Amino acid sequence: MSQPFPSTPYLSGNFAPILMECDAPDLPVLGELPRTLRGTLYRNGPNPQYAPRDAHYHWFIGDGMVHAFHMEDGRVRYRNRWVRTNKFQREQAAGHALFGSWGNPATTDPSVLGQNAGVANTNILSHAGRLLALEEADLPVELDAQTLATRGDVDYGGKLTGAMTAHPKVDPVNGEMVFFAYSADGPFTPGMRYGVVDRNGQLQRLEHFEAPFPSMVHDFMVTQKHVLFPILPLTGSMERAMRGEPAYAWEPQKGSHIGIMPRNGGTVQMRWFHGEACYVFHVMNAWDAGNKVIADVMQYESSPIFNPNGDGTGARLCRWTFDMAGKSDTFTREYLDDMAGEFPRFDERFSTLPYHHGYYALRQYESSARGSYDSLAHLDLRSGKRATYQLPEGDALSEPVFVPRAADSAEGDGWLLATVYRGVQARSDLVVLDASAIADGPVATVQLSHRVPFGFHGNWCGAD
């Protein structure tokens, strides 16, 4: 018999897992679902199968569960499945948790020491005909796009032997998927990996370089001409871990280091820019502007995690500008909005290119749980105008995903899709908003009878 889950913040409310897999062939819809929405919204997030072995469970380490909403002809069907990683299968066979948090050997069952503890719980996207469940510490895991059955790790013909980021960038111009990995030479090492998979799914490049220090590098930036690697002072240390201290810690004295390399060159041409300490989990977009490289990021003044004095106000959208023709090794930073939020998204047909519509989640109610969001924002980056959509107090929403109205629609002409937790009813909806008029509220609301637990990222895959 498996053990009950402890009552901790990341295992309570809508952070708590749902303990079933299910299918719903025809969900109720309030309003009218746009007929142009033909495809599937996939969402991924942590959903632990069993109560954790460690006393201090963290949201980041739960088993990945994928939720799929398939839309066609104004109707929606739903399916959810756990990703069958090695960890999931070994623990399912045992009937209880075997792996310690963050791979901690002190709390891992001896029978699985040294085994792959990946959870595939952070992102999910489609590239070159493969649906990939991603996290930043392990190989991608391929799922069947229809059934969500796990097909296994993807190593690109044995060429990829380590991790891939949870945030690869797909170039809309040439179809390449550009990725990186940190701690490439083992846990808490400064080694970094850079790679490129072509539009046909073939691994074409894999290079290695050294960062200034071991850092938790969750996201990065890609333009048509450059790749940017933010090495920020949330540092990893095996020595700390061996002393029983947190493996990651905020060390602001190390400052921020941004490595920029040409996409048509190599890591030997890396140029490093430096600035004051800050932290970034997520990037909105980056592009080239003449001799300058510009990146819009959600910037914290200090790390919100593994930091006793962490930034409790949230990240703000900030523009980083790098002068590639100048001799300075510094860069400029300018906040574009004064509202704190997270999970930035945009019309990804403009990824790596100039753009002017951005969307992100906000927390406006003081009563909203830490790590949850109750509002959406649309920022027109040319005019500076912001529109918002706020949920009733007690409800919370996911990262918004943009879907264009048509393949040739103008930038920003489309829909925003987000899952919403209804606090009073303890269940979830999927809302569809007109991306250019979010203040008007949903044009359609798709109702579920159960919760979709708070997760991380999702993507839309249009029907062929």
Side-chain angles (χ1 to χ4, degrees):
M1 180 182 296
S2 60
Q3 297 298 310
F5 284 82
S7 179
T8 64
Y10 283 130
L11 292 170
S12 302
N14 201 42
F15 287 101
I18 56 173
L19 302 180
M20 85 291 190
E21 297 174 314
C22 63
D23 297 83
D26 197 356
L27 294 175
V29 178
L30 298 178
E32 186 172 350
L33 194 69
R35 296 285 171 150
T36 57
L37 282 174
R38 296 184 66 253
T40 305
L41 174 69
Y42 298 99
R43 289 206 54 81
N44 198 355
N47 194 90
Q49 180 184 197
Y50 294 113
R53 296 171 67 87
D54 302 67
H56 302 290
Y57 169 82
H58 195 283
W59 185 37
F60 289 0
I61 59 175
D63 299 298
M65 175 176 275
V66 173
H67 304 260
F69 296 83
H70 180 76
M71 305 179 198
E72 190 171 7
D73 299 327
R75 301 173 70 175
V76 185
R77 67 174 183 264
Y78 166 88
R79 171 171 288 160
N80 71 310
R81 294 291 187 273
W82 270 292
V83 184
R84 263 61 177 179
T85 60
N86 175 69
K87 173 183 180 296
F88 180 94
Q89 293 183 87
R90 290 300 303 270
E91 293 183 338
Q92 186 179 56
H96 57 84
L98 295 172
F99 292 82
S101 298
W102 310 104
N104 185 349
T107 55
T108 294
D109 189 280
S111 67
V112 294
L113 279 173
Q115 288 198 21
N116 186 337
V119 288
N121 71 0
T122 309
N123 201 357
I124 182 163
L125 61 80
S126 180
H127 181 254
R130 282 174 160 162
L131 182 64
L132 304 175
L134 302 167
E135 64 158 302
E136 60 201 54
D138 291 279
L139 290 170
V141 179
E142 183 179 3
L143 306 181
D144 184 284
Q146 298 298 319
T147 67
L148 300 184
T150 300
R151 291 180 171 173
D153 292 347
V154 177
D155 61 9
Y156 296 99
K159 294 180 181 178
L160 183 62
T161 57
M164 176 192 286
T165 175
H167 287 288
K169 309 301 180 187
V170 177
D171 186 328
V173 177
N174 64 14
E176 287 182 345
M177 183 171 68
V178 183
F179 68 91
F180 79 101
Y182 66 96
S183 294
D185 300 320
F188 317 121
T189 58
M192 301 281 292
R193 182 182 295 112
Y194 165 70
V196 177
V197 177
D198 69 19
R199 67 186 313 137
N200 299 313
Q202 301 299 310
L203 182 61
Q204 298 293 345
R205 294 183 63 181
L206 196 62
E207 298 186 41
H208 182 278
F209 66 96
E210 294 283 310
F213 49 82
S215 171
M216 179 183 283
V217 190
H218 185 66
D219 204 350
F220 76 139
M221 307 82 144
V222 180
T223 74
Q224 284 294 299
K225 297 180 180 179
H226 298 91
V227 186
L228 293 75
F229 304 93
I231 310 301
L232 308 174
L234 181 56
T235 67
S237 167
M238 182 60 77
E239 290 75 16
R240 278 198 300 262
M242 295 300 289
R243 293 196 300 266
E245 300 172 9
Y248 285 102
W250 178 242
E251 296 188 84
Q253 68 276 12
K254 293 185 181 294
S256 298
H257 305 254
I258 315 298
I260 303 183
M261 60 166 278
R263 276 181 70 178
N264 64 358
T267 56
V268 295
Q269 296 168 278
M270 190 81 68
R271 178 177 173 184
W272 290 96
F273 291 79
H274 308 279
E276 295 181 358
C278 68
Y279 194 71
V280 170
F281 272 118
H282 299 116
V283 171
M284 186 172 281
N285 195 20
W287 69 99
D288 303 292
N291 291 322
K292 294 181 178 179
V293 176
I294 303 174
D296 290 346
V297 305
M298 296 301 289
Q299 177 179 294
Y300 296 87
E301 292 301 304
S302 65
S303 172
I305 61 171
F306 303 111
N307 177 8
N309 302 308
D311 188 344
T313 62
R316 289 184 291 156
L317 187 63
C318 186
R319 178 161 292 175
W320 293 356
T321 302
F322 305 85
D323 185 355
M324 304 305 293
K327 296 182 179 180
S328 172
D329 68 348
T330 61
F331 61 101
T332 64
R333 291 188 264 198
E334 174 193 6
Y335 280 115
L336 302 179
D337 196 15
D338 59 2
M339 294 190 78
E342 252 295 358
F343 295 119
R345 297 299 295 260
F346 65 108
D347 183 342
E348 294 189 15
R349 295 174 300 167
F350 293 83
S351 180
T352 76
L353 302 167
Y355 77 118
H356 72 276
H357 290 288
Y359 316 92
Y360 47 94
L362 303 171
R363 183 166 56 247
Q364 298 194 76
Y365 295 119
E366 290 186 5
S367 60
S368 291
R370 181 180 176 87
S372 70
Y373 300 89
D374 53 57
S375 305
L376 287 180
H378 166 213
L379 186 64
D380 185 319
L381 294 161
R382 288 181 182 170
S383 68
K385 293 181 178 179
R386 184 209 309 126
T388 60
Y389 165 63
Q390 189 170 16
L391 296 170
E393 190 167 8
D395 292 356
L397 49 74
S398 71
E399 164 198 66
V401 174
F402 179 86
V403 182
R405 193 180 305 269
D408 57 355
S409 294
E411 183 197 352
D413 181 17
W415 315 102
L416 287 182
L417 276 57
T419 56
V420 172
Y421 168 61
R422 304 299 187 186
V424 172
Q425 299 169 318
R427 61 169 196 83
S428 294
D429 290 334
L430 173 68
V431 296
V432 179
L433 300 101
D434 185 327
S436 62
I438 66 170
D440 293 343
V443 299
T445 300
V446 182
Q447 296 182 317
L448 280 171
S449 57
H450 66 270
R451 293 183 298 108
V452 174
F454 292 137
F456 298 127
H457 302 290
N459 281 288
W460 172 262
C461 185
D464 295 333

